[in-house]
Amino acid sequence: MNEMTGDDRRLPPALADLARVEFDYADGDGIDFEPYDAFDSAEETTDWLRQWTGNPELDGDAYRLFGQDGTGGLAAVWYGRPGRPLAEQPVVFMGSEGECGVVAGNLSDFLWVLADGIGPLESVLYEEHESRPDASLTRLAERHATTPRRPARDIIAEARAEFPTFADDTDALCR
């Protein structure tokens, strides 16, 4: 299938710093996200995709799983731009109940989405993305982001416009 440039499973510095952040779900008013301290292995990724879809032919080469929500839905870097570096690849979410969508066009924009108080699950579940800025996530984004700060709703809309068929093209994924 698709291959990410190289098979490096080390988190980039921004995601490594994110892995040290405690997210507060705040009884549904916060961000439901638990970042990993390393990408899942290729084998774990493939196993999860096969179980989630019921398709034993799939492999996980196009994804780097780096976090989950409380129900087991996964956030991933998706190899949607062949030949481009990891940091320039889109971030997607694949939920435990089949929810699926593009969250941000790249890792930098993903940091701004989080800084605006929107997690991967929330970006896919809700049409309206109410800004709830988070000071610690804003500082993290300011340290690592290479794109300008924009509201999460704009970043999400831009990413979906760039990859309008992600859910359709991955119908085997997005049930």
Side-chain angles (χ1 to χ4, degrees):
M1 192 177 218
N2 294 323
E3 271 188 47
M4 202 64 101
T5 44
D7 194 34
D8 189 356
R9 294 286 166 171
R10 290 174 299 174
L11 293 177
L15 289 181
D17 279 358
L18 188 64
R20 293 187 279 277
V21 172
E22 288 272 338
F23 284 82
D24 184 5
Y25 182 58
D27 294 324
D29 290 329
I31 296 175
D32 184 2
F33 186 58
E34 302 166 21
Y36 298 163
D37 59 4
F39 287 123
D40 274 358
S41 71
E43 295 80 17
E44 290 169 318
T45 301
T46 295
D47 287 347
W48 183 85
L49 282 170
R50 288 177 178 174
Q51 287 179 348
W52 191 60
T53 63
N55 181 346
E57 304 300 315
L58 286 177
D59 66 48
D61 289 348
Y63 299 92
R64 295 292 183 270
L65 304 176
F66 67 88
Q68 68 181 40
D69 71 355
T71 67
L74 297 175
V77 177
W78 167 54
Y79 184 60
R81 295 185 180 111
R84 304 270 292 272
L86 181 87
E88 294 178 17
Q89 301 296 340
V91 173
V92 298
F93 179 78
M94 297 171 281
S96 64
E97 300 299 318
E99 314 88 349
C100 193
V102 180
V103 176
N106 56 56
L107 284 175
S108 180
D109 282 349
F110 176 65
L111 296 176
W112 290 123
V113 169
L114 292 173
D116 211 19
I118 308 295
L121 170 68
E122 295 85 11
S123 73
V124 172
L125 278 186
Y126 306 115
E127 288 297 316
E128 297 296 319
H129 300 103
E130 182 181 327
S131 178
R132 299 172 301 193
D134 181 286
S136 65
L137 291 169
T138 297
R139 286 190 297 276
L140 188 141
E142 289 170 345
R143 279 195 311 277
H144 293 286
T146 58
T147 55
R149 183 176 191 162
R150 298 177 321 287
R153 70 178 173 276
D154 294 349
I155 292 170
I156 295 164
E158 288 169 17
R160 289 184 183 162
E162 183 177 357
F163 300 100
T165 61
F166 174 75
D168 297 335
D169 290 345
T170 56
D171 195 36
L173 298 178
C174 306
R175 297 171 281 157

